[in-house]
Every structure is written in structure tokens, then in C-alpha cells.
């Protein structure tokens, strides 16, 4: 029996991990990984947080599984920086501790009062905005990863083992004459690439790709629980004194203007992120309404409206205070596919044979890079745990899990 041929659309965290796990399990299979040359997806970034604190026990367990590889596997360890993570939030943090213990891990954490937090870490957070906060939670077993570099390393590892990488844009999924089976993809240059299994890992580009591929097929389109969304990031300017933040904790602030920062190194910038999300709703030529990044090769990621950049600057002040001496530049719109539950999608498409979806990081899934492919391959082989199949289904119930804090309600055009 001939080996399957796999097409993976998108070389972000889902696509790269899937390619590596597939080639490890099926070394003689034909595996093609396709992505644009432009680095503009949510996975491509200077740095990403690696943490295990979730109110959802499932994601705590997955994050702990991934953290073992970040800390110990030669593919990931060189890009991982272990530092504490400080949570300035109105959420009762005991649920984080409880979920670690349910996973069989005693967390290395500390609960601080506001006064204690102001003097901890050399007084770094003495001028933070603590309104609505009673306890500050610190997890000392956290860290961050050099995102774009480790992602490139994973793709290179997959290619070295036999995965074929093609740098181009995919314009449509191609179906058989009955439109019931995916048989490949068509590129923006007009070429056709055939495959027995097509796996869509293209994040925020998914709604438009499905609308372009099957404009008359409602059953193939994402439901109302799936939305392309964005957040804003920005880096400290060259004139900012970031020396006191070298090797400092990560900080996430969940009250007021929500956001956080990842500390700098000599090679990576001090990066701030915003947790305020946006969407871009447009009318597709087919007449249906979709959410999608703005047009352009790079999703117009550097065209950040001034009002958005001001929100991020105010979020930074809420963490370090108004006199930190930090100013921001290099503002970027980071696009991601989100679900209302904040669950991933790792699922066969129920309306089309040989079409599979592995995406929807919902702004929290980069940390799972070392393990995502394992679960995608299980799904492709029909061996994914039934509970995970339900949680990660394409047609998962709207508002089924989570608190949906990051689900976008504001439109980009408002800014």
C-alpha cells in the first residue's frame, strides 16, 4: 500500500510541529509544507511566553508536558529562557495551584500582597497599577522562547528529515468533481499540488481561504465561534534604558488595560503586548461576511493605528509606572485565529473527506510547539483521545469552555 501524501498549509506553530512529527512517524511519506516567504503570522515573533498557569486543567497538563521539552530537548532548549512570571490580576490564583496539583506537579509559586509585590524584584513593580488586585501570583517555573528562531529550527529539522518546503501562497483548496474530497491545493501562481491529506494550519488566513475555495458551500465555512483576530505588540525604543529589566520576570497584567512584557536580552528586545483584541470584518466577493487580516503580503502588520499604539503604551505604564523611561516603537499587528472557547482546533473537517484543520492558537498556543504535532498526527490517524476530539472539534459548541476574555468584539475600522 503506498504511503499517504500530506500537504500542510502554514508553517507556524501548528504546521511546523505537525511536519516534524509526521516525518518522524512516517519517514517514507511525501510531506509538503507550504507557506509564504513573508514572516507575518502569530507564530513569527521575537519572543513568546512559556507558562503553565491556566484555569483549565487540560491546558495546564499540556503546558507542563511541553515545558519538559522546552527545558530539556536539544531542539528547543537553546531558545528557552527560564524566568519567573508575575501575574497582576483580579483572578483568584488558587485555581492555578490546584490544576498543577491535579497534574501531579507541586508548583514553585508564591502569593504576594500588593505591598510585598511593590518591593519584590528590586522594586520593579512599585509603580504598577494594582487597582482591583488583592493577590499577586508569581510562578518561578515559567519562561519565554526566542520564537522566530526556534520556529525556523523546527522547520529546518523537518526539512533535514525529508519534508519538502515550498515558499508560496496557497490560493484555494482543490476538491474532486463531487466536491466531497480534498485532493490538493492551488498556489497563487496557478500551480497545483496534489495530496491525499490536506491539513490547514494557516491561522488567521483560514476564513478567507475557505471562502475562496468553496464560496457556495456554507457547510465548509468556519462557524460563528471562529474568528480571525489581532493584538498589538511593541518594542522598547533604542533610547530606552532597559538594563534593569535584563533577566527580570515576565509580567502579565489582567486588570485595566491588559497586557504584559517579556524581558530583553542583548539579542532580543524588551517586548510589550496588549491583550485587547480586534477583528477585521469584510464582505467576501461571494457575498458572505468573513473575518480576515487586511490585504497585503504582510497583512499590513506594521500599519498600526495611533489609537491602538496608545493603548499599548498605557498598558505598559500600568505595569512599570509613568516614570520608567521606557518608550515604545516597532508597533506590530499580530494576527491569529481564535475560537470563542479559546480551544484549539485539531479536527477532520466534518463536511469534506481528506481535509483536516489544525490551527486556532487563540493567542496562547506557541508554548505547545514541542507537542502540538503529536496530537495532530493522532488526529490524522484516528487515534486522538475522544475527549480531546470533542474539545478540539471544528464544530465545537459556541461558548463551550473558558471565559472568552480575548474573543474580539472591536473592529479594526473603528481605529
Amino acid at each position: 500500500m503506498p504511503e499517504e501524501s500530506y500537504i500542510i498549509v502554514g508553517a507556524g506553530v501548528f504546521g511546523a510541529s505537525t511536519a516534524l512529527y509526521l516525518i518522524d512517524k512516517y519517514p517514507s511519506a511525501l510531506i509538503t509544507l507550504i507557506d509564504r516567504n513573508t514572516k507575518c503570522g502569530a507564530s513569527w515573533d521575537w519572543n513568546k511566553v512559556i507558562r503553565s498557569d491556566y484555569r483549565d486543567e487540560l491546558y495546564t497538563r499540556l503546558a507542563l508536558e511541553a515545558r519538559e521539552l522546552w527545558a530539556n530537548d536539544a531542539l528547543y532548549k537553546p531558545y528557552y529562557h527560564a524566568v519567573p512570571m508575575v501575574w497582576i490580576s483580579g483572578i483568584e490564583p488558587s485555581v492555578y495551584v490546584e490544576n498543577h496539583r491535579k497534574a501531579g506537579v507541586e508548583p514553585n509559586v508564591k502569593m504576594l500582597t500588593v505591598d510585598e509585590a511593590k518591593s519584590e524584584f528590586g522594586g520593579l513593580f512599585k509603580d504598577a497599577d494594582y487597582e482591583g488586585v488583592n493577590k499577586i501570583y508569581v510562578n518561578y517555573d515559567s519562561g519565554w522562547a526566542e520564537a522566530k528562531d526556534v520556529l525556523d529550527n523546527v522547520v529546518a529539522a523537518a526539512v533535514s528529515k525529508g519534508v519538502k518546503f515550498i515558499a508560496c501562497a496557497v490560493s484555494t483548496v482543490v476538491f474532486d468533481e463531487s466536491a466531497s474530497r480534498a485532493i490538493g491545493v492551488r498556489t497563487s501562481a496557478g500551480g497545483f499540488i496534489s495530496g491525499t491529506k490536506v491539513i490547514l494550519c494557516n491561522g488567521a488566513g483560514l476564513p478567507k481561504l475557505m471562502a475562496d475555495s468553496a464560496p457556495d458551500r456554507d457547510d465548509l465555512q468556519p462557524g460563528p465561534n471562529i474568528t480571525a483576530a489581532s493584538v498589538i505588540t511593541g518594542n522598547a525604543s533604542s533610547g530606552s534604558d532597559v538594563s534593569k529589566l535584563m533577566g527580570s520576570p515576565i509580567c502579565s497584567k489582567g486588570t485595566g488595560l491588559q497586557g504584559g512584557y517579556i524581558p530583553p536580552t542583548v539579542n532580543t528586545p524588551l517586548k510589550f503586548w496588549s491583550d485587547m483584541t480586534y477583528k477585521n470584518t469584510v464582505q467576501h466577493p461571494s457575498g458572505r461576511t468573513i473575518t480576515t487580516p487586511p490585504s497585503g503580503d504582510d497583512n499590513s502588520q506594521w500599519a498600526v493605528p495611533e489609537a491602538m499604539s496608545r493603548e499599548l503604551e498605557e498598558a505598559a505604564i500600568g505595569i512599570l509606572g509613568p516614570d520608567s523611561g521606557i518608550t515604545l516603537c516597532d508597533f506590530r499587528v499580530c494576527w491569529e485565529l481564535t475560537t470563542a472557547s479559546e480551544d484549539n482546533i485539531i479536527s477532520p473537517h466534518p463536511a469534506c473527506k481528506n481535509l483536516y484543520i489544525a490551527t486556532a492558537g487563540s493567542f496562547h498556543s506557541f508554548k505547545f510547539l514541542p507537542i502540538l504535532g503529536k496530537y495532530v498526527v493522532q488526529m490524522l490517524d484516528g487515534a486522538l483521545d475522544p475527549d480531546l476530539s470533542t474539545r478540539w472539534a471544528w464544530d465545537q459548541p459556541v461558548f463551550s469552555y473558558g471565559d472568552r476574555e480575548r474573543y474580539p468584539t472591536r473592529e479594526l475600522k473603528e481605529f
Side-chain angles (χ1 to χ4, degrees), residues 261-277:
Y261 79 81
I262 298 174
T265 68
V266 293
N267 297 316
T268 58
L270 169 64
K271 188 190 85 173
F272 286 83
W273 78 85
S274 166
D275 278 336
M276 286 74 76
T277 56

Side-chain angles (χ1 to χ4, degrees), residues 103-327:
V105 173
E106 186 61 31
N108 180 18
V109 302
K110 184 188 287 187
M111 308 285 190
L112 304 175
T113 65
V114 170
D115 287 340
E116 289 171 335
K118 288 181 177 181
S119 60
E120 195 83 359
F121 305 111
L124 187 61
F125 306 113
K126 62 183 176 61
D127 295 322
D129 174 14
Y130 292 99
E131 184 176 353
V133 177
N134 296 315
K135 295 179 183 177
I136 291 80
Y137 173 82
V138 184
N139 188 330
Y140 290 87
D141 289 334
S142 302
W144 59 272
E146 298 172 35
K148 60 185 180 64
D149 293 333
V150 70
L151 189 63
D152 285 344
N153 197 41
V154 172
V155 172
V159 170
S160 72
K161 295 180 178 185
V163 170
K164 182 180 181 180
F165 181 80
I166 299 177
C168 69
V170 169
S171 58
T172 59
V173 177
V174 179
F175 306 98
D176 65 6
E177 291 183 0
S178 66
S180 63
R181 183 186 304 270
I183 60 172
V185 298
R186 195 165 302 283
T187 71
S188 57
F192 172 66
I193 303 171
S194 64
T196 57
K197 292 188 176 181
V198 178
I199 309 156
L200 303 183
C201 305
N202 61 324
L206 181 69
K208 185 176 186 301
L209 178 61
M210 295 308 297
D212 289 344
S213 302
D216 300 324
R217 291 279 302 275
D218 289 344
D219 59 337
L220 288 178
Q221 308 304 319
N225 61 320
I226 300 172
T227 302
S230 65
V231 296
I232 307 303
T233 66
N235 299 335
S237 65
S238 58
S240 300
D241 180 7
V242 300
S243 58
K244 64 181 179 182
L245 291 156
M246 291 281 189
S248 76
I250 301 160
C251 184
S252 176
K253 187 172 184 296
T255 57
L257 286 172
Q258 301 178 20
Y261 79 81
I262 298 174
T265 68
V266 293
N267 297 316
T268 58
L270 169 64
K271 188 190 85 173
F272 286 83
W273 78 85
S274 166
D275 278 336
M276 286 74 76
T277 56
Y278 316 88
K279 58 184 175 179
N280 182 47
T281 304
V282 301
Q283 187 172 47
H284 186 263
S286 65
R288 68 176 69 255
T289 299
I290 64 170
T291 54
T292 183
S295 59
D297 289 340
D298 68 349
N299 296 341
S300 300
Q301 62 181 333
W302 303 108
V304 180
E306 185 179 349
M308 286 185 176
S309 59
R310 282 202 306 269
E311 280 193 344
L312 182 58
E313 289 169 335
E314 291 171 12
I317 290 171
I319 297 170
L320 297 178
D323 300 318
S324 67
I326 303 295
T327 58

Side-chain angles (χ1 to χ4, degrees), residues 224-225 339-343 396-404 407:
N225 61 320
T339 64
S341 63
E342 297 184 6
D343 280 313
Q396 57 188 244
V398 178
F399 305 147
S400 53
Y401 303 94
D403 50 39
R404 305 178 299 282
Y407 201 63

Side-chain angles (χ1 to χ4, degrees), residues 51-61 64 87 89-103 105 107 109 111 135 137 139 403:
R51 47 97 177 177
S52 56
D53 301 299
Y54 278 92
R55 281 174 280 177
D56 189 316
E57 182 185 350
L58 167 64
Y59 289 102
T60 297
R61 290 180 179 274
L64 289 169
W87 296 78
S89 171
I91 297 170
E92 170 53 53
S94 60
V95 66
Y96 300 147
V97 175
E98 181 182 351
N99 282 339
H100 280 78
R101 289 173 176 165
K102 286 178 180 178
V105 173
V109 302
M111 308 285 190
K135 295 179 183 177
Y137 173 82
N139 188 330
D403 50 39

Side-chain angles (χ1 to χ4, degrees), residues 30-109:
L30 177 60
I31 301 168
T32 304
L33 179 62
I34 309 173
D35 204 343
R36 297 178 293 179
N37 260 327
T38 303
K39 303 293 189 180
C40 60
S43 297
W44 185 85
D45 204 342
W46 286 102
N47 40 33
K48 293 285 190 181
V49 174
I50 310 297
R51 47 97 177 177
S52 56
D53 301 299
Y54 278 92
R55 281 174 280 177
D56 189 316
E57 182 185 350
L58 167 64
Y59 289 102
T60 297
R61 290 180 179 274
L62 292 172
L64 289 169
E65 179 186 356
R67 192 179 73 191
E68 284 298 307
L69 295 175
W70 283 112
N72 299 302
D73 190 284
L75 188 63
Y76 305 100
K77 185 177 180 180
Y79 305 95
Y80 176 62
H81 301 258
V83 296
M85 183 163 181
V86 176
W87 296 78
I88 301 174
S89 171
I91 297 170
E92 170 53 53
S94 60
V95 66
Y96 300 147
V97 175
E98 181 182 351
N99 282 339
H100 280 78
R101 289 173 176 165
K102 286 178 180 178
V105 173
E106 186 61 31
N108 180 18
V109 302

